[in-house]
Structures are given as structure tokens and as C-alpha cells.
């Protein structure tokens, strides 16, 4: 993370309410946000909802500074999870401050920015894998025999929110996928135990 004292920041902005979209993936970067405090969810929005969650950052944190430094569009969507306090600096001022550093420091920052950007793009690419397939793979990995016939079931020992985070999707998406799998008769039951009446169909969905 860059030194938060450089470059000079704007005056403190008014607090931003939870649920506000701070960055849109693919938009050009005209200013760089520095989250002073509060939590921000990074990921991929689908129809206005954070369908695929990449991670959560907490201020103080430079938000997508690598994209601005490299002259690239935003790689992720960013949504305020809590009320956040944000300051902004123009890309021009940010880049000028970096260019004023010794050559070795400039090269290090550029290399770090490129590496971060590449890792972020790879992570977003993985998130693009169908949520149904990822959930099916998770269910198969946690399945256990429940009787002598070899029937399989999954005991949900963790909260659905925790499982969704492991899968990189929003809790609402996880609930929606489970509903779809139930409608397709790929899972049965409810509560803390889910039956898997058709493991082969789940394997085909998961691509394993």
C-alpha cells in the first residue's frame, strides 16, 4: 500500500452511505479514491447486486490505485459495505507524485501495480465461473454417505454467509443457487442437512 501522505489529497468528503457503488468495473479512472475509514466490498456486480465477491478492504486503503497508475480501467466493482469516508486525488496529480520519486522507486511501484493488476484480473476471471458450478463442486466435496445404500448428504456446519464467502459469491446468490438446485431436484431436504439425490448430475454441472 502506498504512503497515504502522498500525493496530496482533497479535503475530506462527506460520508458515503453503505450500499453506495464507489467504482464500476470497466470505467475509466479519472481520480483515485483513498478510503479513510469503513469497509468496501470488491467483486463483480450483476444487475446491481454483488453477485461475485472478491474480497473486503478496510480503510485506510488506496482503492484501485494500480489501475490509475497504469492508465487502465477499473478491474473490479466496489461497494461500500459500511458508511465510508473517502478522499480523492486526480490521476494526474497521483502520477506526477510517483514520477517525482527516484527511478528505482518508480520502477518498483510500477512493477507492483502490474503484478496486482494481473492478480486481480485472474481472480475476476475465476469468479466468472458459473456460481451454480462452484456450488455443485462445493457440495460434492463436502458430501458424506448417510446410509448403507450410499446416499449422500451435506451437513451445513457453517453459516450460509460463511460458505458464500468461501465460494466468492454473495449470500443472496448462494441462497438463489440452492433454490435453483432444489428446483432441478439436484438437492433435497432443508435446514442444516441437504440430500444429494443425483450426484452424477451435480458432477456434470460442476465439470468434474
Amino acid at each position: 500500500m502506498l504512503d497515504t501522505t502522498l500525493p496530496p489529497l482533497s479535503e475530506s468528503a462527506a460520508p458515503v452511505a453503505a450500499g453506495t457503488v464507489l467504482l464500476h468495473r470497466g470505467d475509466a479512472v479519472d481520480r483515485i479514491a483513498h478510503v479513510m475509514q469503513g469497509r468496501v466490498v470488491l467483486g463483480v456486480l450483476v444487475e446491481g447486486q454483488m453477485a461475485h465477491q472478491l474480497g473486503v478492504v478496510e480503510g485506510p486503503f488506496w482503492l484501485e490505485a494500480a489501475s490509475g497508475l497504469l492508465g487502465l480501467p477499473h478491474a473490479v466493482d466496489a461497494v461500500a459495505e459500511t458508511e465510508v469516508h473517502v478522499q480523492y486525488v486526480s490521476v494526474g496529480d497521483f502520477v506526477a507524485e510517483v514520477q517525482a520519486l527516484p527511478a528505482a522507486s518508480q520502477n518498483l511501484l510500477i512493477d507492483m501495480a502490474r503484478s496486482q493488476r494481473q492478480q486481480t484480473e485472474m481472480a475476476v476471471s475465476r469468479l466468472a465461473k458459473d456460481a451454480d458450478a462452484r456450488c455443485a463442486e462445493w457440495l460434492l466435496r463436502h458430501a458424506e454417505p448417510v446410509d448403507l445404500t450410499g446416499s449422500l448428504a451435506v451437513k451445513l456446519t457453517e453459516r450460509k454467509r460463511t460458505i458464500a464467502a468461501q465460494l466468492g459469491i454473495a449470500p443472496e446468490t448462494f441462497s438463489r443457487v440452492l433454490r435453483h438446485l432444489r428446483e432441478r431436484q439436484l438437492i433435497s431436504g432443508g435446514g442444516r442437512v441437504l440430500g444429494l439425490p443425483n450426484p452424477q448430475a451435480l458432477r456434470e454441472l460442476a465439470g468434474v
Side-chain angles (χ1 to χ4, degrees), residues 35 37-41 56-59 79-84:
V35 178
Q37 65 183 55
R39 292 193 306 277
V40 178
V41 179
V56 178
V57 296
E58 189 163 356
V79 179
E81 185 178 52
T82 65
E83 179 182 270
V84 297

Side-chain angles (χ1 to χ4, degrees), residues 119-189:
Q119 291 174 5
T120 301
E121 289 177 344
M122 289 176 61
V124 170
S125 177
R126 293 191 186 102
L127 289 181
K129 182 178 180 182
D130 187 83
D132 287 14
R134 275 183 280 152
C135 288
E137 185 177 2
W138 186 91
L139 289 168
L140 290 167
R141 192 165 62 245
H142 291 82
E144 298 178 353
V146 292
D147 54 36
L148 296 177
T149 66
S151 298
L152 299 176
V154 175
K155 295 181 180 179
L156 302 180
T157 58
E158 298 175 298
R159 296 176 61 188
K160 289 184 178 180
R161 178 175 295 274
T162 302
I163 298 171
Q166 294 173 10
L167 294 170
I169 59 178
E172 296 80 7
T173 302
F174 183 56
S175 296
R176 174 179 56 79
V177 169
L178 290 181
R179 183 171 66 253
H180 289 173
L181 294 179
R182 186 172 284 108
E183 291 171 353
R184 296 166 62 181
Q185 299 182 346
L186 297 182
I187 62 173
S188 61

